[in-house]
Amino acid sequence: MKIGKVIAISWLMLQLLGGIATAQENTAQFSLIGKTDSEKTLGRHYTVNRYLDDTCTKPKRGSRMYRAKYVDDVEVFDTIDIPSSEPFIFQVDYEEKRRDTERSCSASIGFNPEAGRRYRADYDVSGQVSRCRITLYDVTEGEVELTPEIVPETMCTKRGANGNSNGVPTHAMIERF
């Protein structure tokens, strides 16, 4: 191999590794666990979206973080990188179908992630969808519960007539023909 090719490949590797280091310096890791105690459902679904502020401004691309259909009691979502240069605001929408109703509950929180840290959110739906909430943890060195810095009053996606309050469930009757 000629010395010029070796130098070019070495330069390219340094650029790639430098980009990885820069990305790690500007990001944190985030994971989500969804849990429900609901029984006798025909299907359970999660959608998780990211917003830029508590007025529901979506990023130019990449608003949806997770989507899972027909999940079990506990759903563990993949770990993703999130920017540490801006507030991280997300909303979890849970929906389940039953024989004659659809039940749903949405909750949203935000925080200012620090670069290099690892965070986990637990989204709990309880009382057969009578309440839902998000608990945030820093899991970098153990498990430390964090107080969310941003708690929007209303949800960015609205389900049903009363479905716009944070952590308040909605139940809609399904009309069968």
Side-chain angles (χ1 to χ4, degrees):
M1 191 182 282
K2 293 184 179 180
I3 191 76
K5 286 185 179 179
V6 171
I7 292 172
I9 290 172
S10 298
W11 179 84
L12 180 60
M13 293 300 292
L14 285 172
Q15 296 302 310
L16 289 173
L17 292 173
I20 292 169
T22 302
Q24 290 174 345
E25 290 174 7
N26 297 325
T27 62
Q29 289 189 324
F30 177 80
S31 62
L32 176 70
I33 300 175
K35 303 172 189 173
T36 179
D37 67 357
S38 289
E39 299 172 341
K40 300 180 182 175
T41 65
L42 300 175
R44 304 174 186 153
H45 316 291
Y46 289 101
T47 303
V48 184
N49 288 303
R50 176 179 167 247
Y51 299 96
L52 298 177
D53 54 39
D54 61 355
T55 63
C56 305
T57 304
K58 288 186 176 182
K60 290 184 180 180
R61 58 187 187 105
S63 169
R64 182 177 288 171
M65 295 172 16
Y66 302 110
R67 175 83 173 131
K69 294 183 173 186
Y70 301 102
V71 299
D72 292 323
D73 294 347
V74 177
E75 180 70 16
V76 179
F77 295 90
D78 291 336
T79 300
I80 61 172
D81 289 332
I82 59 172
S84 60
S85 57
E86 58 193 28
F88 181 68
I89 301 166
F90 66 98
Q91 176 176 311
V92 182
D93 297 321
Y94 171 83
E95 178 183 0
E96 67 182 33
K97 296 187 180 354
R98 294 172 179 247
R99 183 170 161 74
D100 58 354
T101 61
E102 288 183 3
R103 297 179 181 192
S104 63
C105 195
S106 300
S108 180
I109 65 168
F111 66 103
N112 292 300
E114 293 180 32
R117 309 285 302 170
R118 291 180 302 144
Y119 300 95
R120 187 188 80 230
D122 290 353
Y123 178 72
D124 294 302
V125 179
S126 57
Q128 303 295 312
V129 196
S130 63
R131 62 193 161 278
C132 61
R133 69 184 181 111
I134 299 171
T135 308
L136 182 65
Y137 299 94
D138 183 331
V139 293
T140 308
E141 301 162 5
E143 184 175 282
V144 178
E145 186 173 338
L146 301 176
T147 302
E149 297 161 354
I150 303 163
V151 182
E153 288 183 34
T154 60
M155 297 293 89
C156 296
T157 55
K158 296 168 177 62
R159 298 180 184 272
N162 299 320
N164 60 350
S165 295
N166 199 348
V168 176
T170 61
H171 304 293
M173 294 301 294
I174 299 172
E175 292 184 26
R176 304 241 183 239
F177 300 12

